[in-house]
């Protein structure tokens, strides 16, 4: 009897010890995760004012204004705004097919805060909003990886990979493509949650997340298509009974129905004729009506005639090499597992298979459909989410190999691998800090110093801000005549100057200019001007020059 009592006491003591350890680990996890995201938030808040106006931002503000005018005509017919007077109706607007789920709230916030189009605050607000959305999506990315690998450390590592992606980091302050990437991350989180448990609430949340994504860019329609495919595979893998079929089909029906309802509600363009306008948007956005000359491999080609390797190559030369290595390893690990198991045998394998589909399907679609592409691979940034999730599978494999090291030789190899990974992350971090705020022209070692001679550099025109700031600081004349290789982008960036300095600028043609600014867009060669008084050089690549003309 005494022995039994002692064993019970030992069991109780062990349980208490286990609970204490669990609580301690939970507190440790909470502390490090909180610290990580707090530091990242502080970095973003300290950096969001450093970036110039990208090419498309004024247009997207106008798209939001047209949509706001349409909403006002429906819900506030007596509302008057001077900005609305010069705007066309939504039905007559040339860019009516664009989603406004992000742009419209930002514009409404401008109005509520009393900003107008002469104030730099309209872009500071947009840049802050873009960053905060990405910041939220990074947390969802953490949850995806933490749940997949059951490790908060791997979750934070994946977030670090995402943040320490130079082009993504820069675009997370101004880029509409990273807005879509952010919404994609959130949608994938709810997609995985839905696959794990097909409840009504999970189907509804997944539908809402997908609708928000599609209301930003119609490209997101591939998510519902994959939901149908994954359901079909689940049905094929289960018993061929009505109950199993119904248990898979009903949640899908709820999801698709809710998705269609949410999409129509969130996208004003669809209100008058949902199906007709949706098909119109899909057609227009697949074959974008504007054709650009793009600089690719040292030659100019049409944006509607890009070769099949355009996106894969851009990914390969603008992603840190260590991530590419992990992706290749993870890709083959998933493929090998699928061959052995037949698609997937559990939720983790199902998630890995989904990541393959999320990466391969859009990539194959733009190649097969010959979609118009330009400005690098920014239109496809959203596939960076499954890219990194696959890379994390490879990273976990490397960690497993490192943990198995027992002999001295294996341990030395483990240390070597750890050092290489650490150096890769440190080198990327250093490069991002050194080149701030021009991480958007990052190329990895595969391109080296030849980026500007082979590919587009500052296609967004962000560097015009620094060029104009240099001129007004060093020229005190009451009138300064400015010319630029792409005048609209240069003019847009003048908004960051003091109003007094802005009024001194007069934008003219090159023959009458005091200064000529160029970001080398559509002109990668040197200019024949002698007096270059200012230049921005990033990793041996000149992205901005200011020439004194007289």
């Amino acid at each position: 009897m005494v022995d039994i009592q002692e064993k019970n006491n030992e069991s109780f003591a062990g349980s208490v010890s286990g609970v204490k350890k669990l609580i301690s680990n939970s507190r440790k996890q909470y502390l490090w995760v909180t610290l990580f995201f707090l530091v990242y938030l502080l970095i973003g808040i300290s950096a969001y004012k450093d970036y110039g106006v990208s090419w498309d931002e004024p247009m997207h503000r106008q798209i939001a204004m047209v949509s706001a005018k349409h909403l006002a005509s429906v819900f506030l017919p007596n509302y008057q705004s001077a900005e609305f007077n010069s705007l066309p109706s939504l039905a007559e607007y040339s860019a009516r097919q664009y989603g406004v789920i992000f742009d419209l709230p930002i514009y409404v916030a401008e109005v509520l805060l009393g900003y107008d189009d002469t104030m730099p605050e309209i872009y500071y607000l947009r840049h802050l909003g873009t960053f905060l959305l990405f910041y939220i999506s990074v947390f969802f990315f953490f949850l995806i990886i933490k749940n997949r690998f059951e490790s908060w450390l791997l979750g934070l590592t994946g977030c670090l990979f995402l943040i320490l992606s130079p082009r993504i980091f820069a675009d997370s302050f101004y880029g509409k493509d990273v807005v879509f990437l952010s919404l994609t991350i959130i949608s994938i989180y709810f997609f995985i949650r839905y696959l794990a448990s097909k409840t009504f609430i999970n189907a509804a949340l997944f539908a809402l997340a997908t609708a928000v994504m599609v209301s930003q860019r119609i490209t997101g329609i591939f998510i519902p298509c994959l939901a149908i495919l994954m359901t079909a595979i689940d049905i094929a893998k289960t018993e061929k009974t009505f109950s199993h079929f119904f248990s898979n089909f009903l949640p899908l029906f709820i999801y698709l129905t809710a998705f269609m309802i949410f999409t129509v509600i969130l996208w004003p363009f669809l209100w008058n004729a949902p199906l007709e306008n949706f098909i119109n948007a899909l057609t227009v956005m697949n074959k974008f009506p504007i054709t650009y000359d793009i600089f690719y491999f040292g030659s100019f080609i049409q944006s509607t005639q890009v070769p099949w390797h355009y996106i894969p190559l851009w990914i390969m030369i603008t992603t840190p090499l260590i991530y590419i290595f992990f992706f290749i390893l993870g890709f083959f690990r998933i493929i090998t597992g699928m061959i052995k198991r037949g698609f997937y045998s559990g939720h983790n394998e199902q998630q890995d298979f989904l990541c393959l589909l999320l990466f391969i399907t859009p990539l194959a679609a733009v190649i097969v459909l010959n979609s118009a592409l330009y400005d690098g691979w920014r239109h496809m940034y959203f596939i960076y989410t499954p890219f990194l999730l696959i890379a994390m599978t490879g990273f976990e494999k490397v960690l497993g190999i490192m943990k198995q090291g027992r002999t001295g030789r294996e341990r030395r190899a483990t240390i070597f691998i750890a050092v290489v990974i650490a150096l890769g992350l440190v080198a990327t971090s250093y490069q991002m800090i050194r080149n701030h705020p021009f991480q958007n022209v990052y190329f990895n070692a595969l391109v080296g110093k030849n980026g500007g001679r082979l590919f587009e550099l500052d296609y967004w025109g962000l560097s015009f801000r620094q060029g104009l700031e240099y001129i007004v600081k060093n020229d005190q004349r009451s009138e300064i005549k400015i010319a630029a290789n792409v005048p609209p982008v240069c003019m847009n960036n003048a908004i960051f100057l003091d109003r007094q300095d802005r009024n001194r600028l007069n934008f003219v043609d090159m023959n009458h200019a005091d200064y000529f600014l160029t970001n080398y867009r559509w002109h990668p060669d040197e200019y024949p001007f002698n007096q270059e008084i200012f230049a921005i050089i990033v990793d041996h690549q000149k992205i901005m020059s200011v020439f004194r003309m007289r």
Side-chain angles (χ1 to χ4, degrees):
M1 194 70 178
V2 175
D3 290 341
I4 294 175
Q5 184 66 39
E6 288 178 351
K7 287 180 179 180
N8 287 336
N9 291 338
E10 289 175 2
S11 177
F12 178 76
S15 298
V16 170
S17 176
V19 170
K20 288 182 177 179
K21 186 176 181 180
L22 182 62
I23 293 173
S24 176
N25 289 338
S26 297
R27 286 177 178 174
K28 182 179 179 182
Q29 170 188 334
Y30 179 80
L31 176 63
W32 283 108
V33 171
T34 302
L35 181 62
F36 178 93
F37 281 95
L38 180 60
V39 170
Y40 178 42
L41 180 63
L42 293 175
I43 291 172
I45 290 175
S46 66
Y48 78 93
K49 289 187 176 182
D50 297 343
Y51 296 87
V53 178
S54 62
W55 187 296
D56 286 352
E57 285 183 272
M59 183 191 74
H60 278 272
R61 182 174 183 270
Q62 186 183 72
I63 293 169
M65 292 167 62
V66 172
S67 295
K69 178 181 178 180
H70 178 71
L71 292 181
S73 69
V74 175
F75 298 107
L76 300 170
N78 297 322
Y79 179 78
Q80 298 293 326
S81 172
E83 285 189 311
F84 289 170
N85 294 333
S86 61
L87 296 173
S89 66
L90 181 61
E92 298 171 341
Y93 189 49
S94 60
R96 58 188 177 277
Q97 294 88 0
Y98 280 90
V100 292
I101 195 68
F102 175 79
D103 297 324
L104 186 58
I106 292 295
Y107 175 70
V108 172
E110 283 181 29
V111 174
L112 294 176
L113 291 169
Y115 299 158
D116 61 53
D117 60 3
T118 66
M119 303 169 67
E121 283 77 11
I122 64 174
Y123 293 111
Y124 288 145
L125 176 64
R126 183 181 180 86
H127 293 181
L128 178 60
T130 304
F131 167 72
L132 290 177
L133 176 60
F134 182 68
Y135 176 82
I136 292 170
S137 76
V138 172
F139 182 73
F140 277 94
F141 192 68
F142 164 77
L143 293 178
I144 293 171
I145 297 174
K146 173 182 173 292
N147 295 339
R148 164 62 181 86
F149 299 105
E150 299 180 350
S151 168
W152 63 270
L153 276 174
L154 281 179
L156 292 184
T157 302
C159 292
L160 198 61
F161 287 178
L162 179 57
I163 295 168
L164 295 182
S165 300
R167 288 185 177 241
I168 301 298
F169 179 87
D171 272 37
S172 70
F173 292 96
Y174 55 80
K176 60 182 181 181
D177 304 289
V178 168
V179 169
F180 187 60
L181 165 65
S182 302
L183 298 178
T184 302
I185 292 173
I186 297 171
S187 183
I188 290 174
Y189 169 79
F190 286 106
F191 196 167
I192 294 170
R193 178 172 165 167
Y194 165 79
L195 291 176
S197 178
K198 295 179 180 177
T199 62
F200 175 84
I201 187 65
N202 283 343
L205 289 173
F206 179 32
L208 179 59
T210 311
V212 171
M213 180 185 174
V214 172
S215 300
Q216 172 63 20
R217 184 180 294 177
I218 201 167
T219 308
I221 193 64
F222 79 97
I223 292 288
C225 294
L226 291 183
I228 295 172
L229 176 60
M230 295 296 289
T231 301
I233 294 173
D234 282 346
I235 291 173
K237 287 173 67 67
T238 57
E239 296 179 30
K240 306 301 186 293
T241 61
F242 178 78
S243 61
H244 282 92
F245 173 82
F246 189 76
S247 65
N248 281 285
F249 178 78
L250 181 61
L252 178 67
F253 177 78
I254 294 171
Y255 161 70
L256 292 176
T257 303
F259 160 69
M260 289 186 283
I261 294 171
F262 285 140
T263 302
V264 173
I265 292 173
L266 296 172
W267 196 351
F269 173 61
L270 302 182
W271 291 359
N272 292 335
L275 182 59
E276 179 183 344
N277 287 349
F278 188 86
I279 294 173
N280 173 255
L282 189 63
T283 304
V284 170
M285 291 304 171
N286 178 51
K287 291 292 184 182
F288 195 64
I290 298 177
T291 301
Y292 285 105
D293 285 330
I294 57 175
F295 192 54
Y296 184 64
F297 260 127
S299 301
F300 285 99
I301 59 176
Q302 291 288 300
S303 59
T304 54
Q305 299 175 353
V306 296
W308 68 267
H309 50 74
Y310 181 79
I311 295 297
L313 185 88
W314 267 102
I315 295 174
M316 193 184 336
I317 63 178
T318 59
T319 302
L321 291 176
I322 192 70
Y323 307 165
I324 294 175
F325 168 75
F326 291 140
F327 170 81
I328 294 172
L329 192 63
F331 184 87
F332 283 106
R333 183 186 183 190
I334 294 172
I335 293 294
T336 302
M338 286 174 53
I339 293 173
K340 291 180 179 178
R341 291 184 295 268
F343 285 112
Y344 50 83
S345 58
H347 181 61
N348 285 344
E349 291 82 9
Q350 182 188 44
Q351 183 174 329
D352 295 339
F353 175 63
L354 175 63
C355 288
L356 282 183
L357 292 178
L358 289 167
F359 181 78
I360 295 173
T361 304
L363 192 57
V366 297
I367 293 173
V368 172
L369 297 175
N370 193 29
S371 300
L373 298 166
Y374 47 88
D375 297 346
W377 63 292
R378 66 178 181 83
H379 297 96
M380 300 295 290
Y381 275 172
F382 64 95
I383 68 172
Y384 196 56
T385 307
F387 175 95
L388 282 183
L389 292 175
I390 294 170
M392 288 305 299
T393 302
F395 181 68
E396 187 205 30
K397 178 66 174 178
V398 171
L399 288 182
I401 294 173
M402 292 169 63
K403 290 178 181 178
Q404 292 174 2
R406 292 181 175 83
T407 66
R409 185 175 181 178
E410 290 174 341
R411 289 174 181 170
R412 286 192 295 271
T414 297
I415 294 173
F416 174 77
I417 294 172
V419 169
V420 169
I421 294 172
L423 287 178
L425 294 176
V426 170
T428 301
S429 303
Y430 171 74
Q431 198 168 4
M432 291 172 65
I433 294 170
R434 182 186 63 192
N435 295 337
H436 182 74
F438 302 112
Q439 300 95 343
N440 59 302
V441 297
Y442 168 85
F443 288 100
N444 61 32
L446 295 178
V447 174
K449 302 177 182 179
N450 299 315
R453 291 194 291 271
L454 297 173
F455 306 100
E456 295 279 6
L457 292 173
D458 183 24
Y459 48 74
W460 279 131
L462 303 171
S463 57
F464 280 109
R465 175 181 179 177
Q466 284 74 14
L468 290 172
E469 288 174 343
Y470 175 84
I471 290 172
V472 298
K473 180 181 179 180
N474 292 278
D475 191 326
Q476 302 304 317
R477 286 179 291 177
S478 59
E479 182 185 29
I480 306 173
K481 297 178 180 180
I482 301 292
N485 66 321
V486 278
V489 189
C490 187
M491 293 177 188
N492 292 337
N493 275 278
I495 197 171
F496 292 112
L497 304 176
D498 291 337
R499 193 179 296 270
Q500 183 178 355
D501 287 330
R502 206 185 314 162
N503 292 335
R504 293 194 293 136
L505 300 183
N506 182 13
F507 289 90
V508 299
D509 60 63
M510 192 184 300
N511 294 327
H512 300 91
D514 298 318
Y515 300 97
F516 175 70
L517 293 83
T518 178
N519 67 335
Y520 294 91
R521 181 100 198 245
W522 297 306
H523 191 295
D525 299 324
E526 292 290 336
Y527 284 82
F529 308 133
N530 296 324
Q531 295 190 60
E532 183 183 52
I533 61 171
F534 177 76
I536 298 176
I537 299 173
V538 179
D539 291 334
H540 309 284
Q541 303 167 121
K542 190 180 293 185
I543 67 170
M544 165 57 57
S545 288
V546 177
F547 296 96
R548 189 190 305 275
M549 304 303 290
R550 60 178 183 172

